[in-house]
Amino acid sequence: MLLAIDCGNTNTVFSIWDGSAFIGTWRTATEHQRTADQYYVWLSSLLHFQKIDADIDEVIISSTVPRVVFNLRVFSDRYFNCRPWVVGKPDCKLPVDVRVDEGTQVGPDRLVNTVAGYDLYGGDLIVVDFGTATTFDVVAADGAYVGGVIAPGVNLSLQALHEAAAALPHVDVTKPDHVVGTNTVACMQSGVFWGYVGLINGICDQIKRERDRPMKVISTGGLAPLFQQGHALFDHFEDDLTMHGLTVIHAFNKES
């Protein structure tokens, strides 16, 4: 079985793929100090608790935090006796081209989402990922990654607002009942929610005009369903987009 690991700036997701479906998915905080042994104790405890018998013999990793990759490599070697594929490393091939400025390093998560989006929906896509940053990735007709946009993440914006203005509280992200708030919390929620609806709409419209062709908009990430309530922003929502992309990349490398 395949263990797919998606390590983001805030959280790391572990999913086990049995060749046809994910039989378990777990999330933990991303901490570069965590050792290989700690990863194993955490994961094996969850498998035991949920009575999942998984014979893991392959691992693939996508990580936007380079410092965690070493311990994840040791974790794979020590406990599953395998060398993991790491997206972005030369020995991990992609089934799509990457067409960006020479010398540019593209985040592995963005490449994985491109692969997944193209596999599920074909080309001419905009993939919007609500993570620590809100990213927009543009997928060409032939599946190539051709660039994108990076904006501050929703929670990051709220945190900055709270920290920079002493009188403003930290609030949860939610769709407000009215655009015009009648108290501080409602005003902040409206500003964040409708502000990001406008940001998403505006950036996607600009991309479509620049590309001069119809494009599907695919969303992923924890807050995507919330923002779908504000407007018909997305053509499709994929909760497991990154994990699906990792299985596609794994299969491509096995066949190569």
Side-chain angles (χ1 to χ4, degrees), residues 146-225:
V146 293
V149 176
I150 300 175
V154 179
N155 286 313
L156 190 63
S157 296
L158 274 174
Q159 181 182 342
L161 191 61
H162 167 61
E163 291 179 355
L168 296 180
H170 183 78
V171 300
D172 293 329
V173 185
T174 187
K175 180 184 178 182
D177 293 330
H178 306 283
V179 175
V180 179
T182 54
N183 58 69
T184 301
V185 170
C187 289
M188 293 176 66
Q189 289 174 333
S190 184
V192 169
F193 182 83
W194 291 110
Y196 269 86
V197 167
L199 179 144
I200 295 160
N201 255 330
I203 289 178
C204 288
D205 286 348
Q206 278 297 123
I207 292 172
K208 291 174 184 177
R209 278 196 289 270
E210 190 170 286
R211 300 288 294 172
D212 194 24
R213 67 192 67 195
M215 302 185 78
K216 295 189 186 76
V217 181
I218 314 301
S219 68
T220 191
L223 290 176

